[in-house]
């Protein structure tokens, strides 16, 4: 899984980078908020670890920007030396998913990441049971429906994977664009509608609802 790490302390950045790599993550690390923001806009990450007190932009400002301006719902854990309630409250109001106060043990970080992965179905991509009749195999770009295998295009697979991680809530076309496509490769809304149409043909029309004027809801 690709992970973004924002930490401006060189020693801690190195320590966390090495630890996450040892755990099997593909880590992109940076030391200022502007670089972190650009990475999150241009690339797709399973989750991000953001320090608050970083140069150019704070981790909270990065979080606010991706959530508000780009509708980017990449799961985020805030790492911070701040002990006050003010920063904790601001982080959660900005859309953070978890919050760790420094200093912390690496085991605590591992447990927080494990909880986040379970919450967002991250790293469990070999087999996803959508219903009693439907099994989704993301790595193979396949759906098994009542024992019959159907093949998906790569982007159809990516959209369905995103829906599985954000089931039972409305996902806009803009959110899909920001979280699945790189900036230079973004398609039109019409292209997304074609992918959704194809997924409905594979899954059944009732699995993906259109919420008029807002987006789609996967059940």
């Amino acid at each position: 899984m690709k992970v973004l790490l924002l930490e401006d302390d060189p020693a801690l950045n190195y320590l966390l980078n090495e630890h996450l790599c040892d755990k099997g993550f593909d880590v992109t690390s940076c030391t200022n908020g502007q670089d972190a923001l650009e990475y999150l806009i241009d690339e797709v990450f399973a989750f991000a670890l953001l320090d608050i007190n970083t140069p150019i932009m704070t981790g909270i400002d990065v979080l606010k920007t991706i959530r508000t301006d780009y509708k980017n719902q990449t799961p985020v854990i805030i790492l911070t030396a701040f002990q006050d309630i003010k920063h904790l409250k601001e982080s959660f109001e900005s859309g953070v998913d978890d919050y760790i106060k420094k200093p912390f043990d690496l085991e605590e970080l591992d447990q927080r990441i494990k909880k986040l992965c379970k919450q967002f179905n991250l790293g469990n991509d070999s087999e996803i049971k959508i219903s009693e009749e439907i099994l989704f195999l993301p790595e193979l770009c396949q759906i098994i429906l009542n024992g019959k295998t159907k093949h998906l295009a790569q982007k159809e697979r990516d959209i369905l994977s995103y829906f599985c991680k954000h089931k039972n809530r409305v996902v806009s076309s803009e959110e899909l664009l920001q979280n699945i496509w790189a900036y230079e490769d973004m398609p039109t809304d019409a292209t997304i509608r074609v992918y959704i149409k194809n997924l409905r043909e594979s899954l059944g029309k009732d699995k993906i609802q259109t919420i008029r004027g807002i987006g789609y809801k996967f059940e």
Side-chain angles (χ1 to χ4, degrees), residues 94-105:
S94 300
V96 79
D97 300 287
D98 206 347
Y99 187 100
I100 304 179
K101 295 181 181 180
K102 301 176 184 177
F104 53 83
D105 293 330

Side-chain angles (χ1 to χ4, degrees), residues 15-215:
L15 174 66
L16 293 176
N17 196 332
E18 289 294 298
H19 178 72
L20 291 167
C21 287
D22 287 344
K23 293 294 182 179
F25 295 107
D26 178 7
V27 183
T28 297
S29 67
C30 48
T31 57
N32 71 75
Q34 183 62 46
D35 286 347
L37 177 62
E38 291 177 3
Y39 278 123
L40 286 165
I41 292 171
D42 293 338
E43 300 182 27
V44 177
F45 294 91
F47 63 89
L49 305 174
L50 305 181
D51 185 21
I52 289 182
N53 194 17
T54 52
I56 306 179
M57 292 181 71
T58 70
I60 292 180
D61 286 338
V62 172
L63 175 64
K64 287 179 180 177
T65 302
I66 64 169
R67 293 289 195 255
T68 303
D69 295 347
Y70 295 92
K71 310 304 179 187
N72 186 317
Q73 297 299 317
T74 300
V76 171
I77 299 176
I78 285 287
L79 315 175
T80 181
F82 289 112
Q83 300 295 315
D84 59 283
I85 297 298
K86 174 181 175 291
H87 286 91
L88 185 148
K89 181 179 179 182
E90 186 178 5
S91 296
F92 280 103
E93 288 177 346
S94 300
V96 79
D97 300 287
D98 206 347
Y99 187 100
I100 304 179
K101 295 181 181 180
K102 301 176 184 177
F104 53 83
D105 293 330
L106 292 176
E107 176 62 27
E108 178 185 358
L109 178 62
D110 290 343
Q111 291 302 315
R112 301 272 189 162
I113 291 174
K114 184 177 179 180
K115 174 178 175 290
L116 194 77
C117 289
K118 183 176 181 180
Q119 178 182 351
F120 289 94
N121 199 33
L122 303 175
N124 185 26
D125 287 343
S126 60
E127 184 177 296
I128 299 174
K129 187 176 182 181
I130 292 178
S131 69
E132 291 299 325
E133 299 82 20
I134 305 173
L135 191 64
F136 177 33
L137 307 177
E139 294 178 358
L140 300 177
C141 291
Q142 292 178 349
I143 290 172
I144 299 177
L145 175 61
N146 293 322
K148 295 183 179 180
T149 300
K150 296 188 176 184
H151 294 275
L152 301 176
Q154 182 178 337
K155 288 304 181 185
E156 292 168 4
R157 182 274 309 274
D158 294 343
I159 291 172
L160 183 55
S161 293
Y162 194 83
F163 279 151
C164 288
K165 294 169 184 174
H166 301 276
K167 57 187 176 183
N168 295 320
R169 77 167 179 80
V170 179
V171 174
S172 67
S173 295
E174 183 179 359
E175 183 177 331
L176 290 173
L177 288 171
Q178 296 294 341
N179 286 278
I180 294 175
W181 279 269
Y183 180 77
E184 63 273 12
D185 297 326
M186 284 190 180
T188 63
D189 284 348
T191 301
I192 292 182
R193 288 196 292 270
V194 171
Y195 286 130
I196 297 295
K197 176 178 177 290
N198 292 341
L199 283 173
R200 283 177 172 147
E201 290 177 353
S202 298
L203 297 168
K205 294 182 179 180
D206 61 322
K207 292 297 180 185
I208 303 175
Q209 295 183 21
T210 297
I211 310 301
R212 190 173 298 277
I214 302 176

